[in-house]
Amino acid sequence: MDSLLDQKEIDGSLSEILRRLDEVLEVNLAQRTDLSGAAMIVRSDYPILALQELARNAVIHRTYDGTNAPVRLTWFDDRVEITNPGGPFGAVSIGNFGQPGATDYRNPILAAAAKDLGFMQRFGSGIPRARSALRRNGNPPPAFQAEAGFLNAIIRAVP
Protein backbone atom coordinates (compact mmCIF):
# COMPACT_ATOMS: atom_id res chain seq x y z
CA MET A 1 0.00 0.00 0.00
CA ASP A 2 1.21 3.51 -0.84
CA SER A 3 2.30 5.83 1.93
CA LEU A 4 -0.19 8.64 2.61
CA LEU A 5 1.59 11.87 3.56
CA ASP A 6 -1.24 14.17 4.61
CA GLN A 7 -5.01 14.45 5.06
CA LYS A 8 -7.12 17.52 5.85
CA GLU A 9 -10.81 18.37 5.84
CA ILE A 10 -11.77 21.81 4.55
CA ASP A 11 -15.20 23.39 4.67
CA GLY A 12 -16.70 26.86 4.69
CA SER A 13 -17.60 29.43 2.04
CA LEU A 14 -16.24 29.04 -1.48
CA SER A 15 -13.56 31.69 -0.96
CA GLU A 16 -12.52 30.13 2.36
CA ILE A 17 -12.35 26.63 0.87
CA LEU A 18 -10.24 27.78 -2.09
CA ARG A 19 -7.95 29.92 0.11
CA ARG A 20 -7.38 27.09 2.60
CA LEU A 21 -6.88 24.64 -0.26
CA ASP A 22 -4.09 26.89 -1.60
CA GLU A 23 -2.50 26.92 1.86
CA VAL A 24 -2.57 23.10 2.07
CA LEU A 25 -1.02 22.81 -1.38
CA GLU A 26 1.77 25.27 -0.58
CA VAL A 27 2.61 23.68 2.78
CA ASN A 28 2.94 20.23 1.22
CA LEU A 29 5.20 21.23 -1.68
CA ALA A 30 8.70 19.82 -1.38
CA GLN A 31 11.59 21.57 -3.09
CA ARG A 32 14.76 19.91 -4.31
CA THR A 33 18.07 21.68 -4.77
CA ASP A 34 20.41 20.47 -7.51
CA LEU A 35 24.00 21.47 -6.82
CA SER A 36 25.58 19.23 -9.49
CA GLY A 37 25.86 21.90 -12.22
CA ALA A 38 27.47 25.29 -12.46
CA ALA A 39 24.40 26.96 -10.97
CA MET A 40 22.21 25.92 -8.07
CA ILE A 41 18.75 24.90 -9.32
CA VAL A 42 15.77 24.79 -6.94
CA ARG A 43 12.68 23.01 -8.23
CA SER A 44 9.45 21.86 -6.62
CA ASP A 45 8.22 18.31 -7.06
CA TYR A 46 5.04 19.91 -8.46
CA PRO A 47 4.34 23.38 -9.83
CA ILE A 48 1.87 25.11 -7.53
CA LEU A 49 -0.07 26.48 -10.51
CA ALA A 50 -0.86 22.96 -11.81
CA LEU A 51 -2.03 21.74 -8.41
CA GLN A 52 -4.15 24.85 -7.88
CA GLU A 53 -5.81 24.61 -11.29
CA LEU A 54 -6.69 20.93 -10.95
CA ALA A 55 -7.78 21.13 -7.29
CA ARG A 56 -9.90 24.23 -7.93
CA ASN A 57 -11.50 22.52 -10.94
CA ALA A 58 -12.42 19.59 -8.68
CA VAL A 59 -14.18 21.90 -6.21
CA ILE A 60 -15.94 23.97 -8.88
CA HIS A 61 -16.99 21.19 -11.25
CA ARG A 62 -17.95 18.42 -8.82
CA THR A 63 -21.53 17.30 -8.44
CA TYR A 64 -23.25 18.64 -5.36
CA ASP A 65 -26.57 16.89 -6.04
CA GLY A 66 -27.27 13.43 -4.65
CA THR A 67 -23.96 12.94 -2.85
CA ASN A 68 -22.13 14.05 0.24
CA ALA A 69 -18.85 12.60 -0.99
CA PRO A 70 -16.01 15.11 -0.64
CA VAL A 71 -13.39 16.19 -3.12
CA ARG A 72 -10.30 14.21 -2.14
CA LEU A 73 -6.76 15.47 -2.52
CA THR A 74 -4.40 12.65 -1.61
CA TRP A 75 -0.66 13.30 -1.40
CA PHE A 76 1.54 10.23 -1.94
CA ASP A 77 5.33 9.88 -2.06
CA ASP A 78 5.38 10.00 -5.87
CA ARG A 79 2.12 11.65 -6.91
CA VAL A 80 -0.89 13.73 -5.95
CA GLU A 81 -4.38 12.43 -6.75
CA ILE A 82 -7.40 14.70 -6.90
CA THR A 83 -10.76 12.93 -7.00
CA ASN A 84 -14.16 14.53 -7.14
CA PRO A 85 -17.67 13.10 -7.22
CA GLY A 86 -19.51 13.41 -10.48
CA GLY A 87 -18.32 12.34 -13.89
CA PRO A 88 -18.08 14.39 -17.06
CA PHE A 89 -20.96 16.77 -17.67
CA GLY A 90 -22.76 18.14 -20.73
CA ALA A 91 -20.47 18.51 -23.73
CA VAL A 92 -17.62 16.84 -21.83
CA SER A 93 -17.69 13.04 -22.07
CA ILE A 94 -15.57 10.18 -20.78
CA GLY A 95 -13.99 10.05 -24.25
CA ASN A 96 -13.07 13.73 -24.58
CA PHE A 97 -12.37 14.70 -20.97
CA GLY A 98 -9.22 16.82 -20.69
CA GLN A 99 -8.97 17.41 -24.44
CA PRO A 100 -8.63 20.95 -25.84
CA GLY A 101 -11.98 22.59 -26.38
CA ALA A 102 -13.94 20.09 -24.25
CA THR A 103 -15.56 22.36 -21.66
CA ASP A 104 -18.88 22.66 -19.92
CA TYR A 105 -20.05 23.98 -16.58
CA ARG A 106 -22.01 21.82 -14.17
CA ASN A 107 -21.95 24.69 -11.66
CA PRO A 108 -21.79 27.92 -13.70
CA ILE A 109 -22.58 30.12 -10.68
CA LEU A 110 -19.69 28.62 -8.68
CA ALA A 111 -17.38 28.97 -11.69
CA ALA A 112 -18.35 32.63 -12.11
CA ALA A 113 -17.91 33.28 -8.38
CA ALA A 114 -14.45 31.66 -8.37
CA LYS A 115 -13.46 33.81 -11.35
CA ASP A 116 -14.82 36.98 -9.70
CA LEU A 117 -12.92 36.12 -6.49
CA GLY A 118 -9.67 35.81 -8.47
CA PHE A 119 -9.22 32.04 -8.14
CA MET A 120 -9.67 31.34 -11.87
CA GLN A 121 -8.18 33.10 -14.88
CA ARG A 122 -10.74 32.32 -17.55
CA PHE A 123 -13.20 29.58 -18.31
CA GLY A 124 -11.81 26.46 -19.97
CA SER A 125 -8.15 27.29 -19.25
CA GLY A 126 -7.48 25.16 -16.13
CA ILE A 127 -6.32 21.87 -17.65
CA PRO A 128 -4.22 23.50 -20.42
CA ARG A 129 -2.55 25.79 -17.84
CA ALA A 130 -1.87 22.80 -15.57
CA ARG A 131 -0.35 20.81 -18.46
CA SER A 132 1.88 23.73 -19.41
CA ALA A 133 3.09 24.28 -15.83
CA LEU A 134 3.86 20.57 -15.40
CA ARG A 135 5.80 20.47 -18.69
CA ARG A 136 7.87 23.56 -17.72
CA ASN A 137 8.67 21.98 -14.34
CA GLY A 138 9.77 18.66 -15.87
CA ASN A 139 6.79 16.63 -14.61
CA PRO A 140 4.98 14.03 -16.69
CA PRO A 141 1.63 15.21 -18.09
CA PRO A 142 -1.36 14.71 -15.80
CA ALA A 143 -3.34 11.51 -16.18
CA PHE A 144 -7.11 11.62 -15.98
CA GLN A 145 -9.55 8.87 -15.17
CA ALA A 146 -13.09 9.91 -16.08
CA GLU A 147 -15.97 7.64 -15.09
CA ALA A 148 -19.72 8.19 -14.85
CA GLY A 149 -19.58 8.83 -11.08
CA PHE A 150 -16.19 10.47 -10.51
CA LEU A 151 -13.16 12.18 -12.00
CA ASN A 152 -9.60 11.50 -10.92
CA ALA A 153 -6.52 13.57 -11.82
CA ILE A 154 -3.11 12.02 -11.16
CA ILE A 155 -0.15 14.38 -11.02
CA ARG A 156 3.22 12.65 -10.85
CA ALA A 157 6.26 14.15 -9.16
CA VAL A 158 9.34 15.20 -11.09
CA PRO A 159 11.25 12.00 -11.92
Side-chain angles (χ1 to χ4, degrees):
M1 181 172 195
D2 290 338
S3 174
L4 180 63
L5 297 180
D6 194 15
Q7 185 267 330
K8 299 266 186 288
E9 292 184 24
I10 300 174
D11 60 10
S13 67
L14 179 63
S15 62
E16 186 175 337
I17 289 169
L18 296 176
R19 183 187 53 74
R20 290 183 56 209
L21 179 59
D22 283 356
E23 291 170 1
V24 168
L25 293 172
E26 289 178 18
V27 165
N28 283 286
L29 278 182
Q31 292 192 338
R32 300 179 192 279
T33 304
D34 181 357
L35 302 172
S36 63
M40 178 177 75
I41 298 172
V42 178
R43 180 171 61 179
S44 293
D45 284 345
Y46 309 94
I48 187 67
L49 175 68
L51 295 176
Q52 287 173 326
E53 291 288 354
L54 296 172
R56 291 170 181 174
N57 274 358
V59 171
I60 299 302
H61 297 298
R62 66 160 288 180
T63 186
Y64 287 90
D65 294 331
T67 182
N68 292 316
V71 170
R72 296 191 187 279
L73 190 145
T74 312
W75 212 286
F76 295 97
D77 290 332
D78 64 341
R79 69 191 183 284
V80 175
E81 293 190 16
I82 303 168
T83 305
N84 64 300
F89 176 80
V92 180
S93 67
I94 290 172
N96 71 5
F97 182 84
Q99 300 304 313
T103 61
D104 210 330
Y105 305 99
R106 181 189 323 265
N107 304 306
I109 294 171
L110 281 181
K115 186 174 186 292
D116 290 346
L117 291 166
F119 288 102
M120 294 173 61
Q121 299 300 313
R122 63 184 174 91
F123 298 124
S125 67
I127 291 175
R129 287 169 45 88
R131 281 192 170 120
S132 180
L134 289 164
R135 184 175 46 256
R136 285 191 311 271
N137 197 58
N139 297 77
F144 298 103
Q145 181 182 7
E147 301 291 337
F150 72 94
L151 295 169
N152 190 38
I154 301 168
I155 305 97
R156 301 230 175 252
V158 173

